[in-house]
Amino acid sequence: MNLIQIDPKLDKQFTRLKQGWVNCHNCKLHKCRTQVVFGRGQLPADVLFLGEAPGESEDLLGYAFVGKAGKILDKIIYAAFYNEPEYSYFITNTVGCRPTYKGKNETPAEKHIDACKERVVDTILLAQPRLVVCLGKIALSAWKKHLYKYQDKEITIPYIHLRHPAYLLRLGHTQEGTREFDASVNKLNKAIEGLA
Ligand code: URA
């Protein structure tokens, strides 16, 4: 399975990015990963989604958001892109390796985020998105703190913040779950329409 579609013009750059990170030892997360997860979707991309970190499915399959939370994200994207289905998107994470302890997912620490920030920035520069969508608080805080500046230059891309899909997954089919899901779709849809 190949869940990354790249414009041939970006092939070399993406290969270079992967080669630079595939054996990364910048932080201790390399010890518990199966592989570095670069993302999934299209490059370049109109919209770049920034999640937190790979979970078990992502670590095993090598693509971002391919587990249960990913199904919710796919539904949000499908509903929000309804009028603009031709818009492309790429999904990556604040850290490329799964933070795990005794088989359970962990929240990435600042040192992990810091160690991975150049990979995210390089992915953003490759994707050239017109909108960044931070999924959850970790992605939002990493974006504001570490990622929107590159070599001291601001990356001036508009961004929005949505609830993390794993949070929506936990809410399930409750009233609050439906409300939060709809709120995410509406916020993303508005931001997308603003790109036209
Ligand atoms: N949660 C994330 O933040 N990223 C993934 O890739 C999967 C679950």
Side-chain angles (χ1 to χ4, degrees), residues 72 166-178 181:
I72 300 213
Y167 173 74
L168 301 182
L169 185 66
R170 283 195 294 276
L171 291 179
H173 295 289
T174 58
Q175 251 185 10
E176 198 188 348
T178 308
F181 178 87

Side-chain angles (χ1 to χ4, degrees), residues 2-8 10-11 14 38-49 63-64 74 77 81 84-92 123-131:
N2 178 17
L3 300 183
I4 300 181
Q5 291 114 44
I6 308 170
D7 184 313
L10 297 182
D11 249 350
F14 187 60
F38 290 91
R40 79 167 153 100
Q42 289 152 282
L43 289 169
D46 294 306
V47 182
L48 183 123
F49 291 89
Y63 294 106
D74 285 343
I77 294 172
F81 281 48
E84 313 285 354
E86 75 281 8
Y87 279 15
S88 52
Y89 62 88
F90 192 75
I91 310 170
T92 191
T123 305
I124 293 172
L125 294 177
L126 196 61
Q128 294 287 321
R130 295 194 283 150
L131 175 72

Side-chain angles (χ1 to χ4, degrees), residues 51-55 58 64-65 93 164:
E52 185 177 309
E58 292 76 18
F65 279 98
N93 281 304
H164 194 286

Side-chain angles (χ1 to χ4, degrees), residues 95-116:
V95 298
C97 302
R98 181 189 183 203
T100 176
Y101 183 66
K102 294 194 175 165
K104 291 229 164 98
N105 291 338
E106 293 272 296
T107 304
E110 278 298 315
K111 58 186 173 195
H112 306 139
I113 293 170
D114 208 32
C116 216

Side-chain angles (χ1 to χ4, degrees), residues 30-187:
H30 75 270
K31 291 190 181 169
C32 46
R33 73 173 176 230
T34 306
Q35 56 195 319
V36 178
V37 176
F38 290 91
R40 79 167 153 100
Q42 289 152 282
L43 289 169
D46 294 306
V47 182
L48 183 123
F49 291 89
L50 184 63
E52 185 177 309
E56 189 179 15
S57 314
E58 292 76 18
D59 176 63
L60 289 174
L61 297 172
Y63 294 106
F65 279 98
V66 286
K68 285 185 188 155
K71 293 226 162 56
I72 300 213
L73 179 59
D74 285 343
K75 283 186 191 162
I76 291 171
I77 294 172
Y78 182 78
F81 281 48
Y82 188 73
N83 288 325
E84 313 285 354
E86 75 281 8
Y87 279 15
S88 52
Y89 62 88
F90 192 75
I91 310 170
T92 191
N93 281 304
T94 306
V95 298
C97 302
R98 181 189 183 203
T100 176
Y101 183 66
K102 294 194 175 165
K104 291 229 164 98
N105 291 338
E106 293 272 296
T107 304
E110 278 298 315
K111 58 186 173 195
H112 306 139
I113 293 170
D114 208 32
C116 216
K117 68 181 178 202
E118 287 196 13
R119 179 196 55 81
V120 184
V121 168
D122 285 348
T123 305
I124 293 172
L125 294 177
L126 196 61
Q128 294 287 321
R130 295 194 283 150
L131 175 72
V132 170
V133 180
C134 299
L135 301 167
K137 286 187 198 141
I138 297 283
L140 179 67
S141 106
W143 169 258
K144 286 187 178 171
K145 224 176 188 168
H146 303 286
L147 299 170
Y148 82 103
K149 284 204 171 168
Y150 181 64
Q151 294 174 347
D152 281 337
K153 278 187 242 122
E154 252 181 61
I155 307 177
T156 47
I157 305 171
Y159 69 93
I160 59 167
H161 168 230
L162 299 185
R163 296 273 196 203
H164 194 286
Y167 173 74
L168 301 182
L169 185 66
R170 283 195 294 276
L171 291 179
H173 295 289
T174 58
Q175 251 185 10
E176 198 188 348
T178 308
R179 198 171 51 238
E180 290 290 353
F181 178 87
D182 290 346
S184 290
V185 170
N186 290 336
K187 192 167 175 184

